[in-house]
Structures are given as structure tokens and as C-alpha cells.
Amino acid sequence: MGRYDHAAYVSLTMEFRCNLKCVHCMIEGTMDRLAPESDAHFEEILDRNARERRWTGLILTGSEITLRRDLPDLARRARASGFAHVRIQTHGMHLGQPSFCRRLVEAGVDEFFVSIAGSDAASHDALTLVPGSFDRALRGLETLDAIEGVETLTNTVVTERSYRLLPALVARLAHLKRLTQMEFWVYFPMSERDEKGLVARHAEVLPYLREAVLLARALGRAVEVKNFPECLLGEIGDALVNGQPELHIDPDFWREFERNGFYQCVHRDACASRECLGLNTAYIEKFGLEAEALRPLQSPVRRAWSRASA
């Protein structure tokens, strides 16, 4: 279960450039042709929220939002229009400059959602393909940890190359007192096949994912897991949160996204889950439908009836 109400946030994709080369990047094949949201659309969202107070938080995101030199100005404008919170979603490289962190906080950014790919510099940098990226992101998180009123979140993409690192990653960040939520996004490619060999089998991921979730919770963190079968999570099933804030992004993104083919499961018609995305096409092409491993969840009413009639 997450700490933040996704319905209270709106997310704007304001940049499509990046200075990392992450092996698990979903949009590397489309980044050059996707267009960021315009300043006019940004103003429309600000004006709408000033009138309606529909959202309390604005998320500024993109391939790497900190490449925008006017990022502090965007944050100031958002706060002036009535947003109580401004969050940036970033790989954290530029946060390695303490002065940059302070400038963003002074402009109104109070939530920082930082991608951490590995449990140390060697594993993280091997996935981002940029030496020093882990140290700079960690330095940024530690800088923000000393600033009153700031909250940080982390996002980790779970792949064949990273799932064994999850418990150590949680432990590595245990000292951060302002880290409020950790998210684990199970990888899927924006295509029908796993061309990079990054899709990991759920059964192999599960022990490491469970350990990471329980450790994060023991540290007082909220946790969200994305794109994993709910029936496999067992006692940590409440960590599955596939909902997202309202996202404003180039429509071409969604045309590519639809190639994933979610909601495929042999038990779908019998399952009571309202959160699970089932399996995607690339996973099935690699591992099959896994009908024996998955099982339909029962509704609370049906479970009570089953116990009463046993």
C-alpha cells in the first residue's frame, strides 16, 4: 500500500532528452520522436487547478526533467497556481550538486522521485551505462535528507539483471530518514518480445522481491509493486499498486505502450483481483501462460462462503 493518493496528482511529461543510457529504458526507441508537453498546455493545467483545485500535487517528469534549465521556474509557477506539492521524477544525477538541490527546493519542489537501478555503484552504473551515476544520485538523496520539509521516493526497475539486488538496495538506503516510499517496477518491454533478455521469471523474482518489501516496511517505508501477479504475492499482496496519477504525454507513447498486451491470464474470468495486470505478451512469449503457478483470487464474500461450507 502506498503513501500517496495517485488521484490527487497530475503528471506532465515536460522533456524527452536523457543523459543516461539505461539498459531497461522503455522509450529509448521512441524518445527522439516524442514531443514534450507545451508551455501552453502546462499553463492550461495550472489555470484549471487554480479554478477547480482538482489536484493537490503536480509531477514534472520526462526522459530527464532536470535537463530543463527552466525547471525551477516551472516549479514556482506551479506553486503560485495553488499546487500544494511539486514532485520531480529524475535519475538523480544532477541532484549530486547540493546547490542544485537547494535551488529546486527554494523554487517549490518538495518531493523527489529518484530512480535507483542497483544496490551499489558497480551494479547501478552497469545498468545506467554511465560511471558515477550511483554516487551522484545517492549524494543527492543524502543532500535532500538534510532539508526540512522534503520527502523522497525511489523507483527501481526489476529485471533479470537486477532482481537479486533488491534486498541489498533497500539496505543500502536504510540511513535515509526522509525516504518515505520505495517502488519496484517489474520490467516489460515496449514490444511483443524480450529482445534484450531483461524479462525475469516471476517465480525467481518473488523471494527477493518479498524480502525487499518486508525490509522496506520494517524501516518505515511505504512500498508499491508494479506489474506483478497479485496471486503470487501472498501476504504482501497489498503492496501491488498499479494505479498512476493522470499522465499527460505525447499520444504516440500510448500507441507503443499498447503493444505490451497486458491482462492476459488463464484465470482472468474467475479472478476477483481488481489491481492485477496479469501477464504481458513478451512474458508469455518467453515463459508461457504459467497456468499452474497462477491462481484466481477469490472475493471476500466468496472466501467466507467457502469457509462456511467446508
Side-chain angles (χ1 to χ4, degrees):
M1 184 177 298
R3 172 183 173 89
Y4 302 92
D5 178 8
H6 290 307
Y9 285 77
V10 60
S11 182
L12 293 178
T13 308
M14 300 296 293
E15 181 56 78
F16 276 112
R17 295 175 298 155
C18 190
N19 52 349
L20 293 187
K21 302 175 183 178
C22 299
V23 298
H24 50 253
C25 181
M26 288 178 56
I27 62 170
E28 63 178 356
T30 57
M31 193 182 304
D32 291 341
R33 54 187 171 84
L34 293 176
E37 298 303 295
S38 66
D39 191 73
H41 186 59
F42 178 72
E43 281 296 334
E44 287 174 12
I45 294 297
L46 300 191
D47 291 345
R48 180 178 180 183
N49 206 54
R51 294 192 311 270
E52 303 174 8
R53 290 296 190 264
R54 177 171 176 176
W55 306 285
T56 59
L58 174 68
I59 301 172
L60 298 172
T61 186
S63 302
E64 182 43 47
I65 189 62
T66 60
L67 293 179
R68 284 194 64 136
R69 295 187 177 185
D70 63 345
L71 180 56
D73 181 58
L74 296 178
R76 277 190 290 268
R77 290 158 64 188
R79 281 301 191 105
S81 73
F83 279 101
H85 302 287
V86 175
R87 178 187 303 174
I88 65 166
Q89 187 165 348
T90 173
H91 57 41
M93 283 263 287
H94 293 171
L95 300 180
Q97 306 171 46
S99 60
F100 183 67
C101 291
R102 289 191 292 270
R103 189 158 70 251
L104 291 180
V105 173
E106 289 167 1
V109 181
D110 62 337
E111 296 175 0
F112 294 78
F113 189 21
V114 182
S115 297
I116 302 295
S119 57
D120 54 22
S123 59
H124 177 97
D125 295 359
L127 293 167
T128 65
L129 303 184
V130 175
S133 56
F134 178 82
D135 289 340
R136 293 172 69 175
L138 182 59
R139 190 183 312 129
L141 286 168
E142 291 173 342
T143 297
L144 294 167
D145 215 46
I147 301 177
E148 193 70 30
V150 166
E151 294 187 353
T152 59
L153 307 83
T154 60
N155 168 44
T156 300
V157 180
V158 182
T159 71
E160 176 64 34
R161 294 179 56 179
S162 67
Y163 72 83
R164 300 170 189 84
L165 305 170
L166 298 181
L169 186 155
V170 175
R172 182 65 183 86
L173 303 181
H175 64 296
L176 298 172
K177 62 181 181 297
R178 298 194 187 279
L179 177 52
T180 59
Q181 180 160 303
M182 303 187 76
E183 300 190 9
F184 304 105
W185 293 46
V186 178
Y187 171 80
F188 55 86
M190 296 275 275
S191 66
E192 297 82 2
R193 296 176 60 87
D194 179 24
E195 302 288 354
K196 294 184 177 181
L198 294 176
V199 175
R201 193 166 210 143
H202 295 318
E204 295 175 359
V205 171
L206 183 57
Y208 298 90
L209 180 62
R210 178 186 288 118
E211 183 180 352
V213 169
L214 294 176
L215 178 56
R217 286 178 167 177
L219 292 168
R221 324 282 198 223
V223 178
E224 289 189 5
V225 172
K226 310 286 187 183
N227 189 34
F228 197 89
E230 185 174 359
C231 62
L232 296 181
L233 290 173
E235 77 279 11
I236 61 167
D238 61 338
L240 184 69
V241 181
N242 283 315
Q244 293 291 332
E246 180 178 318
L247 175 62
H248 292 241
I249 192 171
D250 189 324
D252 279 349
F253 170 83
W254 296 117
R255 284 187 275 274
E256 293 290 327
F257 186 86
E258 288 171 359
R259 296 173 60 188
N260 298 315
F262 285 111
Y263 299 107
Q264 299 181 62
C265 179
V266 296
H267 304 299
R268 182 179 179 187
D269 292 341
C271 186
S273 175
R274 294 297 177 265
E275 195 69 32
C276 188
L277 299 180
L279 304 180
N280 57 66
T281 299
Y283 187 94
I284 293 170
E285 192 275 337
K286 188 171 185 177
F287 298 116
L289 289 167
E290 299 205 307
E292 297 301 317
L294 305 178
R295 61 190 184 280
L297 295 184
Q298 294 183 341
S299 68
V301 173
R302 185 174 178 182
R303 286 198 297 270
W305 181 87
S306 297
R307 288 195 297 271
S309 53

